[in-house]
Amino acid sequence: MKKKILVTGGAGFIGSHLCTRLLNEGNEVICLDNYFTGNKKNIVGLIDNPYFELVRHDVIEPFYAEVDQIYNLACPASPVHYQYNPIKTIKTSVMGAINMLGLAKRVKATILQASTSEVYGDPVEHPQRESYWGNVNPIGLRSCYDEGKRCAETLFMDYHHQNKVDVKIIRIFNTYGPNMNPDDGRVVSNFIVQALRGEDITIFGDGMQTRSFQYVDDLVEGMVRLMNSEKGFTGPVNVGNPNEFTMLELAQNIIELTGSSSKLTFKTLPQDDPKQRQPDISLAKEKLGWQPNIQLREGLAKTIQYFEEALKNNN
């Protein structure tokens, strides 16, 4: 049955893939974006679809529409962007959640919050389960994002308990793929762009800190499954790829796949940079029947192809 679905942050990296998927499934999609980090280029191929509506709007302001489902993705998600204007970042997370929850309450829509593995901070539990409360610095450089997302989760559960809003919370681990911004400062895009340009690849710390990388198509599958999961199941649910890689391994994979002559350079690790990130995805397997299908080298090859085109077009 055709649903009317609102996607905030719909012109962003993940939002654009989600909008495409929802339209392909025969839904009507309203894409909301203020283009702080989103880009019209990401959704230009959808604009002619009669069931796609693009609205320039900032979720800090209320929005009104009759919809069945809301995916709340609006928020800068890379350190470069969220630290550029930290007050704006936390306002987007907190006031954006309040406005979208108010809309969901009014029109009785199911609403999904795109939360993050950053709610776990620099974890002392490894791998991280949803029951882990995290180890977060509330006054650090990353706090505007980490604490903004933690507060949004609180708001979602409060609206669920107090107002019976049907909420879903997904905790997204490192995700990569086409439509990433070449200048977003995330490790995968940084390494690929540096390798393609033949520049030195910049590694912070000794390169032994680990991350788990999931390809964007796997994430979108997890989001759609959670949104349509049984009523009353709120999550939070970890969605990520549990295969763990060091920064050195990631850099070496990218150098091999691009055939680059790039060398590695090492810089000081930024404040509060987590040393380990690995999701426990038992709950996603049990409740959603979800696990990632695309492994790192396959996903990196597709992402490199996208960046080769993007860099060619920018020159």
Side-chain angles (χ1 to χ4, degrees):
M1 197 175 90
K2 188 190 286 292
K3 294 187 183 80
K4 197 163 190 182
I5 303 174
L6 174 65
V7 180
T8 74
F13 156 48
I14 292 167
S16 57
H17 287 275
L18 178 62
C19 287
T20 303
R21 163 76 183 260
L22 296 172
L23 285 167
N24 288 343
E25 290 183 345
N27 299 297
E28 232 177 292
V29 174
I30 302 172
C31 166
L32 221 60
D33 211 295
N34 69 346
Y35 306 118
F36 178 59
T37 55
N39 196 313
K40 236 178 233 183
K41 275 193 293 199
N42 292 338
I43 39 104
V44 74
L46 308 178
I47 287 170
D48 289 340
N49 187 317
Y51 296 108
F52 181 73
E53 189 177 336
L54 178 59
V55 182
R56 182 188 285 265
H57 184 85
D58 192 323
V59 291
I60 286 174
E61 305 299 333
F63 180 75
Y64 304 96
E66 298 299 316
V67 292
D68 304 303
Q69 293 180 342
I70 302 166
Y71 288 85
N72 187 37
L73 276 62
C75 188
S78 72
V80 170
H81 290 134
Y82 67 63
Q83 289 170 14
Y84 169 75
N85 188 341
I87 294 168
K88 175 79 171 162
T89 297
I90 200 160
K91 281 169 80 173
T92 301
S93 283
V94 175
M95 294 165 72
I98 290 168
N99 286 328
M100 289 303 126
L101 285 161
L103 174 61
K105 178 187 168 188
R106 217 162 28 249
V107 300
K108 296 186 168 42
T110 303
I111 181 167
L112 179 143
Q113 168 65 7
S115 192
T116 171
S117 60
E118 299 299 328
V119 300
Y120 299 124
D122 189 3
V124 292
E125 173 180 295
H126 192 76
Q128 293 84 54
R129 291 170 297 180
E130 291 86 354
S131 56
Y132 176 53
W133 289 356
N135 175 36
V136 176
N137 177 358
I139 56 168
L141 289 173
R142 303 168 70 104
S143 311
C144 59
Y145 184 69
D146 304 357
E147 295 289 33
K149 290 288 192 179
R150 284 164 70 92
C151 184
E153 286 196 12
T154 304
L155 283 161
F156 266 66
M157 292 313 295
D158 288 344
Y159 267 78
H160 174 66
H161 293 308
Q162 191 174 324
N163 298 320
K164 306 293 179 276
V165 176
D166 188 15
V167 305
K168 312 282 181 183
I169 299 170
I170 187 168
R171 288 182 179 158
I172 299 170
F173 281 69
N174 284 52
T175 304
Y176 69 97
N179 296 359
M180 289 184 91
N181 182 332
D183 306 313
D184 69 4
R186 295 187 211 198
V187 66
V188 173
S189 47
N190 270 6
F191 284 8
I192 291 175
V193 168
Q194 288 172 334
L196 290 174
R197 288 178 174 156
E199 298 167 358
D200 287 350
I201 288 180
T202 310
I203 291 181
F204 293 97
D206 60 5
M208 296 313 291
Q209 67 272 38
T210 65
R211 295 291 183 274
S212 311
F213 300 102
Q214 74 177 329
Y215 190 66
V216 65
D217 291 359
D218 283 333
L219 168 61
V220 168
E221 177 65 31
M223 293 176 96
V224 170
R225 287 189 185 207
L226 177 58
M227 174 61 90
N228 297 296
S229 61
E230 61 185 313
K231 198 173 169 65
F233 176 64
T234 61
V237 183
N238 289 337
V239 172
N241 191 322
N243 293 341
E244 201 177 0
F245 294 89
T246 67
M247 296 299 95
L248 286 175
E249 287 171 322
L250 176 67
Q252 281 149 2
N253 270 300
I254 287 170
I255 287 170
E256 274 176 41
L257 288 165
T258 55
S260 175
S261 57
S262 295
K263 303 282 183 285
L264 306 182
T265 59
F266 294 84
K267 292 192 176 176
T268 312
L269 199 64
Q271 182 196 10
D272 300 329
D273 194 64
K275 287 175 265 316
Q276 290 182 305
R277 264 283 180 271
Q278 187 191 22
D280 181 321
I281 59 166
S282 313
L283 189 63
K285 284 179 174 174
E286 179 201 335
K287 291 289 192 179
L288 310 177
W290 178 91
Q291 62 183 28
N293 289 319
I294 297 168
Q295 295 312 324
L296 187 66
R297 281 181 78 90
E298 181 191 348
L300 283 176
K302 294 179 182 186
T303 310
I304 288 163
Q305 195 180 350
Y306 164 78
F307 274 114
E308 282 171 338
E309 288 298 310
L311 293 177
K312 213 181 295 173
N313 295 337
N314 283 349
N315 289 340

